Amino acid sequence: MIIVERGSPHHPGATALLEQSHALMRSLFPPEENFFLDINALAASDIHFFMAREGDSIMGTGALKTCEGYGEIKSMFVAEEARGKGVADAILRQIEDQARAENLPVIRLETGDALVAALKLYVRNGYKTCAAFGQYLDATRSVFMEKQL
């Protein structure tokens, strides 16, 4: 059974997944088009960090950053061996539930055009493409999406 709960990006299992995610992003995109938050930034007070686990095994991570008037999805990543098991959907539901609890009207995200599985996840869950938002540059490899809550 997949359990999604609040956690710390400093948890060893979460840190290992985040480092895998960061390495993947660095391999796919140039430095100026990488917008992931480092592990310490994910521990900030405006971030709700979630871990998905099965037993003691951390299988995925995701976070909600609370912004003025919207929430932003950050650090969605699922361990390769856990893909296809519904982990990403479970984390996304938890993030959306947290955004609703915070009375945020919309949730947004930035992802890369090479992340096909992520794009499919978001479309399947009702996210639509939108314009760049917040502090992002309109990078050529970024895809911006949002969902009204």
Side-chain angles (χ1 to χ4, degrees):
M1 173 201 267
I2 299 167
I3 307 282
V4 179
E5 59 194 358
R6 293 284 297 265
S8 168
H10 295 289
H11 180 287
T15 297
L17 286 179
L18 291 166
E19 288 172 350
Q20 288 176 36
S21 174
H22 297 168
L24 176 64
M25 297 306 110
R26 287 184 186 108
S27 75
L28 293 174
F29 306 106
E32 67 275 8
E33 294 194 30
N34 268 307
F35 300 107
F36 59 80
L37 296 177
D38 69 29
I39 293 166
N40 287 329
L42 287 167
S45 62
D46 63 343
I47 304 266
H48 301 277
F49 185 82
F50 299 99
M51 301 182 306
R53 65 176 175 83
E54 193 167 52
D56 291 333
S57 177
I58 305 301
M59 301 171 18
T61 63
L64 173 71
K65 180 177 182 181
T66 304
C67 303
E68 184 66 37
Y70 66 94
E72 182 182 355
I73 295 172
K74 300 296 293 183
S75 298
M76 286 283 293
F77 189 75
V78 174
E80 189 171 340
E81 64 275 10
R83 293 179 187 161
K85 295 182 177 183
V87 174
D89 287 293
I91 295 169
L92 188 57
R93 277 192 302 277
Q94 184 65 48
I95 289 171
E96 289 177 356
D97 288 348
Q98 183 66 47
R100 286 183 187 96
E102 304 254 338
N103 294 313
L104 297 170
V106 64
I107 194 163
R108 294 182 176 142
L109 63 95
E110 179 274 336
T111 191
D113 61 0
L115 301 172
V116 176
L119 291 166
K120 287 180 181 179
L121 167 75
Y122 297 127
V123 168
R124 182 173 71 244
N125 282 280
Y127 288 78
K128 309 283 185 207
T129 57
C130 67
F133 61 90
Q135 300 299 312
Y136 292 105
L137 300 175
D138 198 3
T140 60
R141 301 290 307 273
S142 289
V143 177
F144 299 96
M145 302 180 88
E146 68 180 10
K147 180 178 179 179
Q148 300 296 317
L149 298 177

